[in-house]
Amino acid sequence: MAPGNCASARLFVFFVMRLATSFLLLFSLASLSRAETPATLGKHLAIRYQTMGGDETAVVLIYFMDKGPRGRKELHNAADLLSAKSIARRAKVRNAGEVITEQDLPVEASYLALISRNVTRTRHALKWFNAVSVEATRRQIDAIRTLPFVKEVELVGRWKGTPEPEDIDLKSGVAPDVVSTDLLNYGASLPQNDLIDVPEVHNLGIYGEGVTVGVFDNGFRLLTHQAFESMNIVAQYDFVDHKVSVIPGNPSTGFGSHGVNTLSTIGGYAPGQLIGPAFGADYILARTENDSSETPVEEDNWAAAIQWADSLGVDVTSTSLGYLDYDLPYPSWTGADMDGNTTLITRAADYAVSLGIVVVNSAGNSGLGNGINNTLGAPADGDSVIAVGAVASNGVRVSFSSVGPTTDVPARIKPDVMAMGSGVRVASSTNPAAYTTSSGTSFSCPLTAGVAALILSANPNLNPLQVRDALRNTANNAASPNNFVGWGVLDADSAIGYVGIIPLAQISGAIYHDLNGNGQRDGGENGLAGDTVILTNFSGPISDTTISGANGTFSFSSLAIGSYTLSTVTAPGWIVTTAPGMLAASLLHRDSLSGFAIGTLAASKLSGIVFNDTNRTGLRETGEAGLAGWTVLVTGTSSDTAVTDTSGAWSVTTLIPGTYAIHQVEPAGWIQVSPDDYGGHTITLGSGVDTGGFDFANYYQPADAYPVNPGWNLLSLPVLIPDATADSLYPNAVSTVSLYENGYSTSDTIPNGRGYWVKFPLTHNILLEGLGRTSDTLEVVSGWNLVGSLSSPVTIASVVQEPGGIVSSNFYRYRNSAYQGLGPDSTLDPHTGYWVKCSGAGTLILNAGNAAR
């Protein structure tokens, strides 16, 4: 047949097959052979094909011409194969019309049916590549190549991953104490986190929430390890043995141990022992590698796994595997094939990136090799794959870390970034409470993937290349990247700062009518709709304002990390009853703080008059003026202070429900007449009460008015009074009178010439009317004495001591809650008591002249 007619003939035969698929299924593959040239053998299968015996099987990938006659007519059904999260992630990197494409359609079922009936075993359908991997003999391959819908048959082969280096410091047991000022206790995993500034990001409350991470490895033998207790594993599948559990069936402890190590490195959480960078992320686990030498580890396992993870909405993948050498007799990939386009796994990885997935892979553990060619393992060569090399805890590259560049033109620098891969703290795969250390780019990879998850958690809108650029451009070698360390050791804190943090925290609560004014929402206290709520950021201006809705509810979303306060604009006469400290919040990333309750109520008002009661009746009569500038104290459930105006009027307007006492503070020389006995008014208030009449009557008599202060007062009786009982002199006192003479004693009657203690509830003036005392002889003893004074001041220097020189200290008075020592030029004042120390018994003679009052 002429070459120009081959395509037409092939399409014609295919069309006939589609019309009679059900009929053709009854025939063998031999009956479906085509007249034109058989489908192409791939580069590697063409070599292997020459030495295959007739019944020897190989793992091959069969590529199809198309996806059947449905084509794009059934694209709308592809959405049924992807999660909403997957579609949303793709929307970050694709136009609306290309979010779902023909590559998302499943492989044509009729093709798969025909193939599976005539091969030894069907492995994975790879819809992205419109292919299926199978195990087939040479004769079966020959028959398959004759099918009109088969485009190419290529070898998948048996991959052999690069081995991990021997552990530099393999230890297990309890982590040593590690000093750190961070909010989390990293234990012995602090060095691997601290080197890449992970703690700084965790201190912001960014732990990987909202991000789905896929970890592909050789299985996960010990998912019951304590480091995984809080891990949210949303899906798992074994692509080697085709089962849901990712715990290998082989009893050897080596099977699945590597996966335990790498998974704990990225997402383990055991404070004091091990904390991974992205311990708050969701996880998808896939077993893609088979450690057994009898069961080959195929390239298409990873390709099938990434398709599966994509459909579930994975955001970041971490693969601590790298493939280069085939097992004999298969031909191997070489460094020349590390061009980003040759291997299936690399093409699958790059395509995954085009769908919005951040793909992170170990660079490999083959070191410098010959010093000329790269030593990468696929898919680290992918142009969109983040390849990770290893450094020691001091940030210096370790010798086993693979190097670039890639072999495409122009060549690209690899690795991309570096993280700690020597002596990394990991979970044990055999003991659920033990830990060990391991080395290799297998562990620098999950550390980096964890940081990528942190970046996406802080800024979910980023696409994979933006994440890669953030990692690269903030690494410590970004100014001069090379093929040994790439852009250098990454810095999680700087990388997040490079792209910013999308505000994702929120605060919610309600405004309510605080009927009892206690600042707490009790039963029956309804919400208040329509009130203004203000959210203020401590580090800036007002952040947001909203109006309370039904039942008084309010919320603020999309908030940045920081400290905030809530407040409200109350209606006239209303006040906020909730303490300010209960309306403050410090938000970390993705925090959702609810239950903030702002209590408000209509305040109560009290008022009255302070006046000059010239005739001392206690009633305000015509001509008795108000007293301006006087202070009125309102104390009780809440407190307030008022100052009288020019007419003597006062008022307080911010009182909550409760019981209150009202007192005045009279200036020196004024005596209170009403209320009696220097007392005050009391009242119990509800909400919104407005009441007056709380008046105070006073008169001026400076010669007989003596002030006292709240609390304890050290006093003496300055005048001679017939009724010198404590109740008569100090009716408002809240203590008995205490005298001192070699110890304290109480007394109902107050003597002249002695000092004594009395306690009062508030400041006021005491009226003491009696005969003045101009002189007195005070008996003292050895030691401390509490003495009194006269009706007029007496200079201390004029006090006569008999015998002379018996006073051995200063005189001390008690004012403003403290003792004050007085020198010889000071005076002993009326109504004040004094401490003085004497060296022996004797008398002190006070003489103020004629001071009759």
Side-chain angles (χ1 to χ4, degrees), residues 443-521:
F443 306 101
S444 56
C445 171
L447 287 170
T448 301
V451 172
L454 295 180
I455 294 173
L456 282 177
S457 182
N459 196 325
N461 293 336
L462 297 177
N463 64 47
L465 297 186
Q466 289 171 320
V467 173
R468 183 193 67 182
D469 290 345
L471 293 171
R472 283 178 170 180
N473 294 337
T474 56
N476 69 352
N477 195 45
S480 55
N482 59 56
N483 288 301
F484 297 98
V485 297
W487 280 254
V489 177
L490 61 89
D491 184 323
D493 190 34
S494 296
I496 285 179
Y498 182 79
V499 295
I501 301 175
I502 288 184
L504 290 174
Q506 57 184 356
I507 291 175
S508 61
I511 294 183
Y512 67 97
H513 191 178
D514 188 9
L515 295 174
N516 58 11
N518 67 354
Q520 298 178 354
R521 190 170 188 179

Side-chain angles (χ1 to χ4, degrees), residues 714 784 786 796 809-814 819-822 828 832-837:
L714 183 53
W784 287 102
L786 196 51
I796 293 176
S809 73
N810 289 330
F811 283 79
Y812 288 91
R813 66 187 179 189
Y814 185 79
Y819 284 106
Q820 301 172 349
L822 305 178
L828 304 179
T832 303
Y834 297 90
W835 285 105
V836 65
K837 190 175 184 180

Side-chain angles (χ1 to χ4, degrees), residues 511-584:
I511 294 183
Y512 67 97
H513 191 178
D514 188 9
L515 295 174
N516 58 11
N518 67 354
Q520 298 178 354
R521 190 170 188 179
D522 303 309
E525 294 182 334
N526 296 325
L528 297 173
D531 280 6
T532 299
V533 183
I534 301 170
L535 182 73
T536 304
N537 189 327
F538 284 168
S539 60
I542 291 176
S543 299
D544 204 355
T545 301
T546 189
I547 304 297
S548 61
N551 300 318
T553 57
F554 63 83
S555 65
F556 297 93
S557 58
S558 300
L559 299 178
I561 297 168
S563 296
Y564 295 86
T565 56
L566 290 164
S567 60
T568 183
V569 178
T570 58
W574 285 67
I575 60 172
V576 175
T577 59
T578 305
M582 297 180 66
L583 299 178

Side-chain angles (χ1 to χ4, degrees), residues 234-495:
V234 297
Q236 55 181 298
Y237 193 78
D238 184 338
F239 287 86
V240 175
D241 293 333
H242 304 282
K243 58 185 177 61
V244 172
S245 171
V246 289
I247 299 174
N250 191 306
S252 171
T253 57
F255 281 68
S257 62
H258 191 263
V260 170
N261 299 157
T262 59
L263 181 62
S264 65
T265 304
I266 185 174
Y269 186 74
Q273 292 285 358
L274 168 67
I275 293 179
F279 66 84
D282 298 328
Y283 283 87
I284 292 173
L285 307 183
R287 181 182 179 220
T288 60
E289 182 179 359
N290 190 342
D291 292 314
S292 172
S293 59
E294 288 80 20
T295 304
V297 178
E298 291 84 11
E299 182 178 7
D300 63 321
N301 285 345
W302 196 95
I306 193 68
Q307 285 185 172
W308 167 75
D310 163 53
S311 69
L312 297 176
V314 73
D315 298 298
V316 178
T317 64
S318 175
T319 305
S320 294
L321 306 170
Y323 300 113
L324 188 62
D325 298 326
Y326 285 115
D327 289 332
L328 293 174
Y330 298 93
S332 297
W333 299 119
T334 68
D337 295 309
M338 298 296 105
D339 58 5
N341 297 301
T342 296
T343 69
L344 172 67
I345 192 171
T346 299
R347 287 185 287 129
D350 280 343
Y351 185 72
V353 175
S354 77
L355 298 178
I357 300 172
V358 178
V359 178
V360 184
N361 208 94
S362 299
N365 301 318
S366 299
L368 294 178
N370 60 15
I372 299 174
N373 299 320
N374 73 73
T375 56
L376 302 170
D381 61 317
D383 58 8
S384 301
V385 174
I386 299 171
V388 187
V391 295
S393 59
N394 61 0
V396 176
R397 176 184 170 273
V398 290
S399 60
F400 59 74
S401 186
S402 288
V403 299
T406 61
T407 57
D408 46 329
V409 179
R412 290 172 286 107
I413 292 174
K414 287 288 180 175
D416 293 275
V417 292
M418 311 290 280
M420 185 169 159
S422 174
V424 175
R425 180 77 161 179
V426 299
S428 166
S429 61
T430 58
N431 185 333
Y435 298 84
T436 185
T437 55
S438 291
S439 300
T441 55
S442 284
F443 306 101
S444 56
C445 171
L447 287 170
T448 301
V451 172
L454 295 180
I455 294 173
L456 282 177
S457 182
N459 196 325
N461 293 336
L462 297 177
N463 64 47
L465 297 186
Q466 289 171 320
V467 173
R468 183 193 67 182
D469 290 345
L471 293 171
R472 283 178 170 180
N473 294 337
T474 56
N476 69 352
N477 195 45
S480 55
N482 59 56
N483 288 301
F484 297 98
V485 297
W487 280 254
V489 177
L490 61 89
D491 184 323
D493 190 34
S494 296

Side-chain angles (χ1 to χ4, degrees), residues 622-657:
T622 302
E624 293 183 331
L627 299 172
W630 284 47
T631 298
V632 177
L633 303 176
V634 180
T635 59
T637 306
S638 62
S639 299
D640 207 344
T641 301
V643 177
T644 59
D645 62 16
T646 55
S647 65
W650 66 271
S651 66
V652 293
T653 61
T654 61
L655 301 179
I656 65 175

